[in-house]
Amino acid sequence: MIISKDNMGALADAIGATQTVYVPGTERAATRFVAHKKGEPVVLGGANVRMPPKDLLFPATEKMYRWKKHEGQLSLETEAAAHEPFTVLGVRPCDMASVAKLDLVFLTKGFVDEFYQARRDAATFVAVTCVDPDGDCFCEAMGVRLDAAPAADVLLVDRGGAYEAKPQTEKGEAAVAAWAEALGAGADAAAGDAVEAHCTLNPAAAKAEERLRAEDFDNVWHSVADYCLTCGTCTFECPTCYCFDISQDVRADEGARFRCWDSCMFTQYTLMAGNHNPRADRASRVRQRFMHKLRYFADRYGEGLCVGCGRCIRDCPAGVDIAAIIDAVATAPEHELTEAARTVQADEAKKEAAHV
Amino acid sequence: MNDATQIVRERATALLADGTVAAVVGWAAGRGDHDRHVFVARTPEEAALLVADQYCGALAAKRVLSLLDEGKIALVARGCESRAVNRFMADRQLKRDQVHVIGWPCPGMLDPATGDALKRCTECQRRNPVLSDEVVGDPVPEPELDRFAELERFEQKTPEERRAFFQDMYESCIRCYACRNACPCCTCRVCFVDQERVGWMGEEFTADQARYYGTVRAFHTGDRCIECGECQRVCPQHLPLMLLMHKQVRDIDGLFGPYPGGGMEPEGPDPLRTYHTDDLEEFM
Ligand code: SF4
Ligand code: SF4
Ligand code: SF4
Ligand code: SF4
């Protein structure tokens, strides 16, 4: 199905007739996915939104349960519930890849987060191929293709003046069939060839991951810590950062537990009872962020945690640049192996010696 | 290479080589043509990476405080950095002999993305360093700029418009605390928002919590603010944080002045913490 770009507003109106549809817009001082209002124009091209769609699945603050004491009886009430269906229209390939990573975190390895799952099940993701990478975008280096978004229900392929809607899941099939009915004649438009685009920034991510596994880069973390403010903007704006903290709001006879976003850049993140803090200094927190993005997540899930959207580069107030750091790691002169790598090497040498 | 960069590199190299200082705090270039970030040079080789040009937007001064264990620290200081040094000394965070100030009469900074002057540079009261151990280049003229224009525009608003303005502002705050981390007056060892056991601050990301944080921070720094505008520059949401600061500075000037702003002299002036028998006491 081909839909003219001029018809995106009508498409959002049609979806919006039965459910909330989030489209790129501006709210609370930033571009982000905002609830579409009937009749407003919808434009999917241009710069990506500054805030990723993460909070639609994993809100910054989320109530988990409430408790109440009444005449000596304690009652608990969970806040987890099925979510109303909604559609997110115009997600870029990098951000769609981030949703797939959040799925790994919240839905796999033997634990299902019911809050995340409720929203995820209710969501229909309509991705759009990216034709506007800017100088800080490097998703291709992180394994994302600008013309594909495998995790999306529907992919809109940019064909110049129009989008070709390709369903990719059952949910997507049903959505596109419903759109065709709703848009009628508006659904057919002349389409050109698929627009092809590529990132101009291509840090050597595979090389960096390999070296982070074998060597210490304390010099890199320390030099970044010399200017990082450890403000956490990078982690709040990152589409894949998923850390949260559980807190409570306690009144006399009732209270609520909620979770809210946390960041490994904050001192409190690793603060323990007794005031011990294993990551009290900035360099160790900087190290954690980049090690998690570029190595630890890959150790656990077989793929990295950075999708190359460039947000943390664009909005870091101190000029910290993950692409430059990836290249600094990849091209650093060979130096000391880590303790772990030394042990592995020694073990292998022993095994070899035993074979001889 | 511009003159300032050249001289800063030469001086930093000399100070490091002869052991006068353990490190030099300035700026270095990043990946993009105009990307600059704060940089600490600890060896003559690193000193060759220092840059001092119109894209050095970040306020470098606060970095000195975390390096004091390493020895005496040199700081490349424009007007705003030098006022921060006075602030640190008045707040007992730094002794004069712990820092070597390489004064840099400031040409005014540009936003690397747009090429426009940084907002704080269009409001700046002191481009020449207010204290220094040596100076790079010649003094620049002080442009005598109006820093209260934004405040005066704001004061034209009706109370309802003002309430909506602040509601919008605090709904937009993501509470990253970049403003606090960057501020040269925010030097508390444990900020009130981090005193978890006392629980001053709720963890929820709501406008009410952000308003509470934002106003307490503004008042806690109001009579010490050096008007460097760094809080507003670093805010990822570009919130107009200097409004509350300028409001306080202007009120202090009117009520207890003359008050030129924070950090102009080594020990103050500090009107809200100085008692005069003829102070205004209208409310008593
Ligand atoms: S890298 Fe930048 S955005 Fe992230 S914590 Fe450091 S200063 Fe803040
Ligand atoms: S680490 Fe930075 S570039 Fe990578 S996904 Fe997060 S915000 Fe995007
Ligand atoms: S540990 Fe840090 S980098 Fe990793 S998800 Fe949490 S906040 Fe993001
Ligand atoms: S820097 Fe801006 S967004 Fe961050 S806490 Fe301060 S006011 Fe809020």
Side-chain angles (χ1 to χ4, degrees):
Chain A
M1 171 181 175
I2 306 284
I3 315 169
S4 152
K5 286 187 178 173
D6 299 334
N7 245 337
M8 281 299 115
L11 174 63
D13 286 350
I15 305 171
T18 57
Q19 57 184 265
T20 310
V21 48
Y22 294 93
V23 298
T26 304
E27 213 175 81
R28 287 173 280 139
T31 53
R32 63 177 82 228
F33 285 95
V34 303
H36 171 70
K37 292 192 199 78
K38 194 169 191 295
E40 304 239 310
V42 173
V43 179
L44 303 186
N48 196 2
V49 284
R50 205 149 73 69
M51 297 295 176
K54 171 169 80 173
D55 66 337
L56 297 175
L57 298 175
F58 171 43
T61 303
E62 182 164 47
K63 282 236 169 69
M64 303 177 80
Y65 63 84
R66 302 165 177 283
W67 58 267
K68 218 180 222 158
K69 244 199 284 186
H70 184 65
E71 293 173 353
Q73 289 292 311
L74 183 71
S75 62
L76 286 179
E77 196 185 317
T78 176
E79 296 271 338
H83 202 275
E84 292 292 313
F86 65 96
T87 294
V88 196
L89 178 60
V91 180
R92 299 294 169 97
C94 55
D95 289 344
M96 211 51 240
S98 77
V99 172
K101 292 184 196 295
L102 294 177
D103 287 350
L104 288 175
V105 172
F106 287 108
L107 302 175
T108 70
K109 299 266 180 200
F111 180 78
V112 171
D113 183 288
E114 55 195 321
F115 301 97
Y116 180 89
Q117 191 182 35
R119 289 193 159 79
R120 185 68 177 91
D121 288 347
T124 303
F125 279 100
V126 182
V128 58
T129 58
C130 186
V131 298
D132 312 277
D134 75 11
D136 293 324
C137 290
F138 59 100
C139 61
E140 281 181 305
M142 307 318 282
V144 176
R145 293 176 53 131
L146 277 73
D147 62 356
D153 297 298
V154 182
L155 178 67
L156 298 177
V157 180
D158 193 319
R159 291 185 175 276
Y163 293 111
E164 179 190 353
K166 287 186 173 170
Q168 305 192 127
T169 62
E170 251 173 56
K171 225 190 239 177
E173 300 274 0
V176 173
W179 301 351
E181 201 165 302
L183 291 182
D188 275 322
D193 290 337
V195 182
E196 201 182 312
H198 293 286
C199 297
T200 50
L201 178 60
N202 281 294
K207 182 77 190 160
E209 185 185 318
E210 180 193 319
R211 291 196 65 181
L212 285 171
R213 220 164 250 131
E215 295 163 76
D216 281 327
F217 287 90
D218 281 359
N219 53 338
V220 175
W221 316 133
H222 278 276
S223 71
V224 174
D226 275 340
Y227 56 103
C228 169
L229 297 168
T230 64
C231 64
T233 296
C234 48
T235 56
F236 284 176
E237 291 196 5
C238 178
T240 68
C241 271
Y242 54 80
C243 285
F244 62 84
D245 183 25
I246 296 177
S247 289
Q248 52 192 345
D249 181 13
V250 184
R251 304 290 151 96
D253 286 334
E254 58 184 333
R257 281 228 169 210
F258 57 88
R259 66 178 178 190
C260 45
W261 291 355
D262 200 355
S263 166
C264 61
M265 302 312 287
F266 296 160
T267 336
Q268 268 64 19
Y269 181 90
T270 44
L271 188 63
M272 299 181 186
N275 251 359
H276 175 60
N277 195 340
R279 286 193 217 126
D281 68 312
R282 273 197 306 276
S284 60
R285 303 205 291 280
V286 167
R287 179 179 187 277
Q288 162 63 24
R289 178 176 156 231
F290 292 107
M291 288 296 270
H292 192 204
K293 289 290 161 203
L294 304 173
R295 192 204 124 174
Y296 297 149
F297 197 81
D299 287 349
R300 183 167 165 81
Y301 294 104
E303 53 183 83
L305 186 58
C306 171
V307 295
C309 70
R311 287 184 174 90
C312 58
I313 305 176
R314 272 176 228 114
D315 288 327
C316 172
V320 175
D321 179 338
I322 187 171
I325 290 169
I326 291 171
D327 277 336
V329 165
T331 60
E334 294 240 353
H335 57 286
E336 285 279 287
L337 290 176
T338 60
E339 198 57 48
R342 262 195 298 273
T343 320
V344 172
Q345 273 194 353
D347 285 352
E348 273 169 12
K350 253 186 256 161
K351 269 185 229 151
E352 249 170 63
H355 281 301
V356 173
Chain B
M1 199 192 309
N2 68 10
D3 280 357
T5 295
Q6 176 107 34
I7 305 173
V8 163
R9 286 181 184 176
E10 282 166 16
R11 289 302 305 140
T13 307
L15 290 165
L16 288 165
D18 70 14
T20 309
V21 298
V24 181
V25 176
W27 304 265
R31 174 168 49 86
D33 285 349
H34 300 316
D35 293 348
R36 303 285 180 269
H37 59 77
V38 171
F39 180 66
V40 183
R42 294 182 177 84
T43 61
E45 294 75 51
E46 287 172 352
L49 300 174
L50 287 164
V51 174
D53 66 9
Q54 288 197 281
Y55 295 103
C56 300
L59 188 84
K62 201 171 176 182
R63 198 45 77 193
V64 171
L65 299 182
S66 55
L67 300 172
L68 296 175
D69 286 349
E70 297 182 24
K72 186 165 181 160
I73 306 299
L75 170 69
V76 183
R78 303 166 285 203
C80 41
E81 269 94 14
S82 69
R83 289 174 69 178
V85 170
N86 274 340
R87 178 78 274 144
F88 298 149
M89 293 194 294
D91 290 347
R92 306 290 182 264
Q93 302 298 313
L94 183 72
K95 297 196 184 78
R96 185 64 184 87
D97 61 4
Q98 288 178 302
V99 60
H100 179 97
V101 179
I102 306 174
W104 173 26
C106 180
M109 295 295 131
L110 305 177
D111 183 322
T114 61
D116 297 340
L118 285 192
K119 176 173 177 290
R120 74 150 178 269
C121 301
T122 66
E123 297 172 342
C124 176
Q125 303 300 299
R126 259 322 268 266
R127 292 189 163 195
N128 294 286
V130 295
L131 87 173
S132 56
D133 294 291
E134 55 179 293
V135 179
V136 170
D138 300 321
V140 291
E142 293 295 353
E144 313 226 337
L145 300 163
D146 174 14
R147 64 212 208 262
F148 299 127
E150 184 189 31
L151 175 61
E152 272 146 24
R153 273 198 306 279
F154 174 79
E155 285 178 337
Q156 303 303 313
K157 290 184 194 293
T158 64
E160 290 71 36
E161 286 169 341
R162 292 184 206 181
R163 192 170 296 125
F165 177 93
F166 282 116
Q167 183 64 22
D168 193 48
M169 170 159 150
Y170 292 121
E171 267 172 13
S172 304
C173 170
I174 62 172
R175 260 187 36 236
C176 60
Y177 303 137
C179 45
R180 170 197 70 181
N181 292 12
C183 174
C185 309
C186 283
T187 45
C188 290
R189 274 195 211 135
V190 184
C191 175
F192 76 100
V193 304
D194 291 337
Q195 295 178 15
E196 285 191 326
R197 275 200 286 176
V198 188
W200 300 112
M201 185 81 214
E203 301 263 311
E204 311 98 300
F205 293 98
T206 60
D208 286 346
Q209 295 297 342
R211 182 176 10 247
Y212 171 63
Y213 160 67
T215 43
V216 172
R217 198 190 85 80
F219 283 111
H220 196 192
T221 51
D223 64 329
R224 296 179 296 130
C225 174
I226 62 163
E227 298 170 82
C228 62
E230 188 67 355
C231 52
Q232 186 158 339
R233 190 193 71 82
V234 300
C235 176
Q237 294 288 76
H238 312 294
L239 302 180
L241 303 181
M242 283 306 289
L243 207 54
L244 287 179
M245 309 320 291
H246 279 145
K247 166 75 177 151
Q248 295 178 90
V249 169
R250 202 191 54 185
D251 282 359
I252 294 170
D253 183 42
L255 295 168
F256 305 104
Y259 176 58
M264 285 295 200
E265 291 156 31
E267 289 292 329
D270 215 348
L272 292 197
R273 276 168 295 170
T274 314
Y275 177 70
H276 291 297
T277 46
D278 59 349
D279 274 348
L280 273 184
E281 291 186 273
E282 284 168 343
F283 49 87
M284 297 284 270

